[in-house]
Amino acid sequence: LEKGEDGPWVYSISYNARSPVPDDILDQSNSNLAKIAAMGITVIVSSGDEGAWLNDEKTKLRAEFPATSQWVTAVGGTVLSDDNRTEQAWNGGGGGFSWSDPRPTWQDGAVEKYFTVANKSKPFPSEEMYNPKGRGVPDVSAFAANLVVVYPEDPGPHWDPNGTYFGIQGGTSAAAPVFAALVSLLNGERARCHGKRLGFLNPLLYAHAEAFTDITSGSNLGADEWGYTAVKGWDPATGLGSPLFDKLLAAVKSSAGLTC
């Protein structure tokens, strides 16, 4: 970050804190993330891999920080449906509503619409188990199963850069960098057209829900009996859905008045 314009334009974080974060750390982290957003840098964060995580006391569902910060784009997970053609919510994808971070205004319309269409019977949590005024997570989703990744054979100080092998990974820790890579491609296209880098994404994303495949099946119960089911529109299992690159590209160009 100290490199400014010479540093990366997009950062991807695959880390979550399931336990409540102390207020001083929460405030300092959100303050720093807001400063990063003001610098025109995009921060992508995985939503977690435990589903709509139920606390140890079995009393509250907790969306995980830093995905709950309003200054990041939180990425949930999808998997192939039984037809091997369409996507559904990944059962382990983190999601829900923050107890510490309030819902930002750019999310109001999507979340309020969700509450009007969601089936409020179980596994939907009872009223005391979630915070309807909290920041909703995730914002978007990406594929979270059987992703092919490349590893160095020996990731030590003297590893051979040609000695690589392929492996299979999954989870939102894999989905987040996938979405981050897509954002990097969008930045490249904006730069090619002499536009500014995207920076903080979320208001733009929520203004262009048509640039996502809406996921309407599956849920994120994880290993518990409570969670959220994917429905039409934004939901706390898959967010706005999975990205459609061509439509996102059109949206980011038009938002900057770019015609190249």
Side-chain angles (χ1 to χ4, degrees):
L1 292 174
E2 293 178 352
K3 294 183 178 179
E5 289 288 334
D6 295 327
W9 292 4
V10 183
Y11 287 83
S12 178
I13 301 173
S14 294
Y15 167 82
N16 303 90
R18 282 180 289 177
S19 300
V21 177
D23 288 345
D24 57 337
I25 295 177
L26 187 77
D27 292 344
Q28 182 180 15
S29 298
N30 276 323
S31 176
N32 288 335
L33 288 167
K35 293 174 184 177
I36 291 170
M39 293 170 64
I41 295 171
T42 306
V43 179
I44 309 295
V45 180
S46 62
S47 67
D49 292 347
E50 295 82 23
W53 188 69
L54 186 64
N55 66 353
D56 293 339
E57 294 77 22
K58 308 296 182 183
T59 57
K60 292 182 178 181
L61 293 178
R62 290 194 177 278
E64 301 174 21
F65 187 83
T68 56
S69 172
Q70 66 170 300
W71 301 109
V72 308
T73 299
V75 180
T78 65
V79 294
L80 277 180
S81 301
D82 291 340
D83 61 11
N84 286 325
R85 298 178 59 228
T86 57
E87 293 172 83
Q88 67 180 45
W90 176 46
N91 186 55
F97 302 93
S98 174
W99 290 93
S100 54
D101 294 277
R103 186 202 307 161
T105 56
W106 42 259
Q107 201 179 40
D108 278 340
V111 175
E112 290 300 331
K113 183 178 179 181
Y114 164 74
F115 286 130
T116 66
V117 301
N119 184 341
K120 300 296 179 61
S121 59
K122 195 174 180 179
F124 191 91
S126 54
E127 290 185 0
E128 69 276 5
M129 294 180 71
Y130 74 102
N131 176 20
K133 298 298 184 182
R135 157 85 157 107
V137 173
D139 298 302
V140 299
S141 286
F143 209 62
N146 298 321
L147 278 78
V148 179
V149 297
V150 178
Y151 296 102
E153 186 174 2
D154 177 18
H158 305 295
W159 68 276
D160 178 0
N162 296 315
T164 58
Y165 70 92
F166 294 97
I168 302 295
Q169 287 290 342
T172 62
S173 291
V178 167
F179 189 80
L182 182 149
V183 175
S184 294
L185 292 174
L186 294 174
N187 268 331
E189 284 298 302
R190 293 251 294 203
R192 186 179 66 84
C193 297
H194 307 290
K196 295 182 179 179
R197 56 190 179 184
L198 287 165
F200 181 54
L201 286 176
N202 294 356
L204 175 66
L205 300 182
Y206 280 82
H208 291 280
E210 79 282 356
F212 296 85
T213 296
D214 190 7
I215 309 300
T216 58
S217 62
S219 60
N220 65 346
L221 275 63
D224 293 300
E225 56 184 329
W226 304 98
Y228 305 95
T229 300
V231 298
K232 185 175 177 59
W234 180 91
D235 56 68
T238 61
L240 297 169
S242 57
L244 298 167
F245 183 80
D246 288 347
K247 291 187 177 182
L248 269 178
L249 179 59
V252 302
K253 283 186 174 181
S254 64
S255 68
L258 303 176
T259 58
C260 71

